[in-house]
């Protein structure tokens, strides 16, 4: 059973720190920066043993080098982006698994935001670390891939159990929701969720992790009925 801690850094990034008590292993997902992550681990008496990266963007890998220098941890990330993440020790792709003590993660290929983006699904924890592919009521921008790829990614992720907690890498929920309610104005679950999100954000509360079930009900990108509809919604959101 993992203990998972949210570390807000930069303007809207979330770094996730996960500790496995039996093995005493501690893992960081997508450290944008090093110092707040090392400080949080130290404060809890946890020794960071691993970093898992989802994609090469600097706001997901910027802390790799300094955390490794401070802890000697092992860095795992997407094989397809090894040239862009020179700090990687272990390269993985769909079909591979990564272990944190007894906890096993399945690697899922989710290219589109970047060409080699991966996600980590931990079935025993009912958790998934999805980087910048799936957000609360949103999806990542299509920087290095196509709407067809993102549509396929959404099929993979919506196939996870509804109760799966989705640990995304940014607090984009309010801005996503403001667009989402225009894409699906008749979606009552979406309207209710947006009311809740506005109330939470007004109090400065984090709105993630989300769940696969909530995204199936309210996410206009997961709910797009075709790659073309996803493309149109992505373009509309980019210009929103
Ligand atoms: Zn990114
Ligand atoms: Fe990012």
């Amino acid at each position: 059973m993992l203990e998972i801690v949210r570390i807000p850094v930069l303007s809207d990034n979330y770094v996730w720190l996960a500790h496995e008590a039996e093995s005493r292993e501690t893992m960081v997902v997508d450290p944008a920066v090093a110092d707040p992550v090392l400080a949080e681990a130290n404060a809890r008496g946890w020794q960071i043993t691993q970093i898992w990266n989802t994609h090469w963007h600097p706001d997901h890998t910027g802390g790799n080098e300094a955390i490794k220098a401070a802890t000697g941890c092992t860095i795992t990330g997407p094989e397809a982006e090894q040239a862009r993440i020179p700090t990687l020790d272990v390269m993985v792709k769909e079909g591979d698994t990564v272990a944190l003590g007894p906890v096993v993660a399945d690697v899922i290929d989710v290219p589109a935001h970047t060409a080699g983006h991966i996600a980590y699904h931990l079935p025993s924890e009912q958790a998934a670390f999805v980087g910048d592919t799936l957000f609360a009521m949103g999806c990542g921008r299509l920087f290095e891939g196509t709407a067809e790829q993102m549509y396929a990614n959404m099929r993979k992720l919506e196939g996870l159990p509804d109760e799966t907690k989705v640990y995304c890498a940014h607090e984009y929920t309010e801005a996503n929701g403001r667009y989402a309610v225009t894409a699906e104005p008749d979606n009552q679950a979406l309207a209710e969720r947006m009311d809740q999100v506005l109330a939470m954000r007004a109090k400065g509360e984090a709105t993630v992790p989300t769940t696969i079930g909530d995204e199936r009900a309210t996410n206009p990108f997961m709910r797009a009925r075709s790659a073309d509809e996803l493309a149109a919604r992505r373009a509309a959101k980019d210009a929103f």
Side-chain angles (χ1 to χ4, degrees):
M1 187 72 176
L2 292 186
E3 189 173 347
I4 300 176
V5 176
R6 178 196 309 104
I7 307 173
V9 300
L10 307 180
S11 60
D12 52 33
N13 278 76
Y14 289 135
V15 176
W16 300 102
L17 185 68
H19 180 70
E20 201 289 307
E22 188 182 313
S23 62
R24 307 180 67 109
E25 283 217 64
T26 301
M27 174 272 283
V28 186
V29 181
D30 283 355
V33 293
D35 288 350
V37 177
L38 292 167
E40 183 71 38
N42 283 337
R44 292 169 180 272
W46 296 349
Q47 172 75 24
I48 294 171
T49 55
Q50 298 191 45
I51 292 170
W52 295 0
N53 291 140
T54 64
H55 66 295
W56 68 266
H57 282 163
D59 66 311
H60 298 256
T61 57
N64 277 12
E65 195 169 2
I67 293 171
K68 186 172 182 173
T71 65
C73 69
T74 299
I75 306 181
T76 297
E79 179 179 84
E81 298 188 354
Q82 58 184 296
R84 309 199 74 162
I85 314 176
T87 45
L88 285 189
D89 300 303
V90 180
M91 293 74 167
V92 293
K93 59 183 184 309
E94 186 157 307
D96 292 335
T97 58
V98 190
L100 187 74
V103 174
V104 175
D106 299 318
V107 177
I108 305 172
D109 286 338
V110 285
H113 178 71
T114 63
H117 199 305
I118 57 175
Y120 300 89
H121 176 225
L122 293 63
S124 68
E125 308 301 307
Q126 299 191 315
F129 297 99
V130 298
D132 286 356
T133 292
L134 176 64
F135 294 113
M137 298 184 279
C139 75
R141 288 180 181 249
L142 307 177
F143 288 126
E144 299 178 2
T146 65
E148 285 75 15
Q149 289 176 313
M150 189 59 89
Y151 184 77
N153 296 340
M154 292 297 131
R155 302 290 75 73
K156 291 180 183 179
L157 295 173
E158 77 174 353
L160 303 180
D162 273 354
E163 55 275 16
T164 306
K165 290 179 289 298
V166 177
Y167 294 86
C168 42
H170 292 271
E171 179 62 61
Y172 286 163
T173 310
E174 181 175 342
N176 286 338
R178 288 188 190 281
Y179 165 71
V181 296
T182 70
E184 296 197 6
D186 299 327
N187 184 332
Q188 190 58 35
L190 172 55
E192 287 170 15
R193 185 179 189 186
M194 188 55 182
D195 287 344
Q196 292 170 3
V197 163
L198 291 173
M200 291 174 77
R201 294 306 294 156
K203 289 185 277 183
E205 294 174 6
T207 63
V208 296
T210 176
T211 67
I212 292 293
D214 282 347
E215 296 318 304
R216 285 168 55 86
T218 65
N219 186 309
F221 302 95
M222 184 171 274
R223 292 168 60 79
R225 285 155 293 191
S226 66
D228 284 348
E229 187 171 50
L230 189 152
R233 289 179 169 188
R234 187 63 259 177
K237 172 63 170 65
D238 289 347
F240 189 71

